[in-house]
Amino acid sequence: MAFDFSAAARRCQRTGLVTRILIGMVLGVLLGLLAPGWAAPAGLLGDLFIAGLKAVAPVLVLVLVAAAIAGHQAGQPTHIRPIILLYLISTLGAAVVAVAASFLFPTTLVLNAPPVGGEPPGSILGVLRNLLLSAVQNPVKALMEANFIGILAWAIGLGVMLRHASEGTRRMLFDLSDAISGLIRLVISFAPLGIFGLVAATLAESGLGALAGYGQLLLVIVGCMLFVALVLNPLIVFWKLRRNPYPLVFTCLRESGITAFFTRSSAANIPINLQLCRKLGLHEDTYAISIPLGATINMAGAAVTITVMTLAATHTLGIQVDLLTALLLCIVSSLAAAGVSGVAGGSLLLIPMATSLFGISADVAMQVVAIGFVISVVQDSAETALNSSTDVLLTAAGCPQDVQLPGQGSGAVRA
């Protein structure tokens, strides 16, 4: 009896995307551990998936934000300001959590790692300068380099100017936005294969033994991120919604956090988040701006990484940290995190700027960065999952309308 591929495809389509991703993840773990020699070819699937997301995300953000602003009707409310405030609260709160955990569970490092390359900014003014320069970058170059600050700036400018364009011009912009959204859905449908390849290649290349020497450091970092995801962020959402926040929290972690964990790029996860916001029934004019903005400035996970790694360096060198300096570190880490690029490992090169608060030399700081790259297979994945899922979570909390949770009727969560 011949195998019916069309029937198998239909059954696959009826299976939820998250379920298919989990199946791909399990198969990837098995391949990476049991047959690592086959993991490298499988890794090509993951590379193609990430490349596809990264290729279409900049164009999507440019067109979607410009269309949302151009189509905005006078007097129609958007809710960007409260969402930005939630972003800031979450990031600063994450830094405070990291400071508390670092004092409760002090961690020391073995600083014998070779220095790594890269040019970290010298101060918070350097971060702000880079952000301003990114905002006025040539739009073609911004699209080519996936500079989302520059893309957002041009999209907002174009959207404002096109608000007074003819109806036909704005209709064409909306149609282009719908077409690119269709391409995104096509790319996302290959997520299970991409996750399968990413998991297999990562386990085959790094294994689990490479992380054993940094167990306590990883526990502190990942523990802080879990606390932010499961305690701090739900408290923020409850403050806004006055309802049980966990159905929304778990939906965001499941449908955004899982893919972000493996793509390790907030920028690459923008299309996933936009689709999730659409599924949740959020206000399109709002999430079209807040999601790409969040991928740029909402970096609670990065604030945790910078803070924990910096305080681990001070504990190693025997530097005493008083409360006032710890609070200053929280502020610096939060501002620095907002300048992190939305790519894998983006937060690590900002560690030297934070360690400079304590007079730690650049050579020692870069050794700390090198340790960060060793543990990044877990640290950066967890960081991106927290950052990206929080973008959707806080966007939903800031939109005062019904949030439709998948599989439920209307009014599942009232914002």
Side-chain angles (χ1 to χ4, degrees):
M1 182 177 177
F3 181 76
D4 190 347
F5 286 98
S6 60
R10 286 194 296 271
R11 284 195 297 271
C12 184
Q13 287 292 334
R14 287 195 295 268
T15 305
L17 179 63
V18 174
T19 303
R20 283 181 276 146
I21 288 175
L22 290 174
I23 293 172
M25 183 171 59
V26 171
L27 293 177
V29 169
L30 294 175
L31 181 64
L33 294 179
L34 301 179
W38 290 91
L44 177 61
L45 295 173
D47 294 339
L48 288 173
F49 175 62
I50 293 179
L53 286 175
K54 287 183 175 179
V56 75
V59 180
L60 175 69
V61 169
L62 176 67
V63 175
L64 196 64
V65 172
I69 295 176
H72 179 68
Q73 301 295 323
Q76 182 181 0
T78 58
H79 316 288
I80 297 299
R81 287 184 182 177
I83 293 173
I84 292 176
L85 178 61
L86 294 179
Y87 285 167
L88 296 176
I89 293 172
S90 177
T91 302
L92 182 60
V96 172
V97 168
V99 166
S102 296
F103 282 143
L104 289 173
F105 308 101
T107 305
T108 57
L109 307 171
V110 179
L111 297 177
N112 56 4
V116 297
E119 188 66 31
S123 66
I124 196 66
L125 291 179
V127 174
L128 296 176
R129 177 179 179 275
N130 291 340
L131 285 175
L132 290 175
L133 289 176
S134 295
V136 295
Q137 189 179 45
N138 179 285
V140 176
K141 189 175 181 181
L143 285 169
M144 292 176 62
E145 297 179 356
N147 166 20
F148 284 93
I149 288 288
I151 292 169
L152 275 172
W154 280 98
I156 292 171
L158 284 173
V160 170
M161 294 298 103
L162 288 172
R163 289 183 67 179
H164 306 289
S166 66
E167 181 64 27
T169 300
R170 286 186 291 157
R171 184 68 261 168
M172 183 191 70
L173 189 61
F174 299 149
D175 290 341
L176 182 60
S177 175
D178 291 341
I180 296 175
S181 297
L183 286 176
I184 283 294
R185 288 191 289 272
L186 178 63
V187 173
I188 291 174
S189 68
F190 289 97
L193 289 176
I195 297 300
F196 163 74
L198 288 169
V199 172
T202 299
L203 284 179
E205 179 182 350
S206 303
L208 301 177
L211 306 175
Y214 302 101
Q216 182 176 344
L217 179 63
L218 271 174
L219 283 174
V220 173
I221 290 176
V222 176
C224 288
M225 293 179 186
L226 287 173
F227 186 89
V228 172
L230 300 176
V231 178
L232 177 63
N233 283 346
L235 286 174
I236 294 173
V237 175
F238 176 77
W239 169 61
K240 289 293 292 183
L241 301 183
R242 301 299 178 186
R243 288 286 185 91
N244 177 13
Y246 284 100
L248 182 60
V249 169
F250 291 138
T251 296
C252 294
L253 288 173
R254 183 178 66 250
E255 303 208 14
S256 172
I258 289 177
T259 53
F261 185 90
F262 293 107
T263 62
R264 296 173 61 191
S265 170
S266 295
N269 215 49
I270 286 175
I272 305 280
N273 284 349
L274 291 171
Q275 179 170 313
L276 177 55
C277 287
R278 189 176 298 111
K279 185 186 294 187
L280 293 174
L282 303 183
H283 190 252
E284 185 170 0
D285 285 356
T286 299
Y287 72 71
I289 300 173
S290 69
I291 292 301
L293 184 64
T296 305
I297 68 169
N298 181 39
M299 295 288 174
V304 167
T305 297
I306 295 169
T307 303
V308 170
M309 296 291 285
T310 298
L311 291 178
T314 63
H315 290 140
T316 302
L317 299 174
I319 299 173
Q320 297 297 317
V321 181
D322 57 39
L323 180 60
L324 185 61
T325 309
L327 292 176
L328 178 61
L329 175 63
C330 291
I331 296 172
V332 170
S333 297
S334 300
L335 293 175
V340 171
S341 60
V343 298
S347 62
L348 296 176
L349 283 178
L350 291 170
I351 291 173
M353 183 190 67
T355 57
S356 67
L357 289 173
F358 305 95
I360 297 174
S361 69
D363 179 64
V364 172
M366 292 307 286
Q367 291 185 47
V368 177
V369 173
I371 293 173
F373 278 109
V374 172
I375 65 172
S376 65
V377 65
V378 172
Q379 166 269 322
D380 196 48
S381 296
E383 176 184 311
T384 309
L386 174 61
N387 291 340
S388 195
S389 61
T390 303
D391 294 345
V392 181
L393 180 69
L394 298 184
T395 294
C399 288
Q401 64 180 67
D402 286 339
V403 179
Q404 307 287 334
L405 293 181
Q408 298 185 15
S410 63
V413 178
R414 181 75 181 178

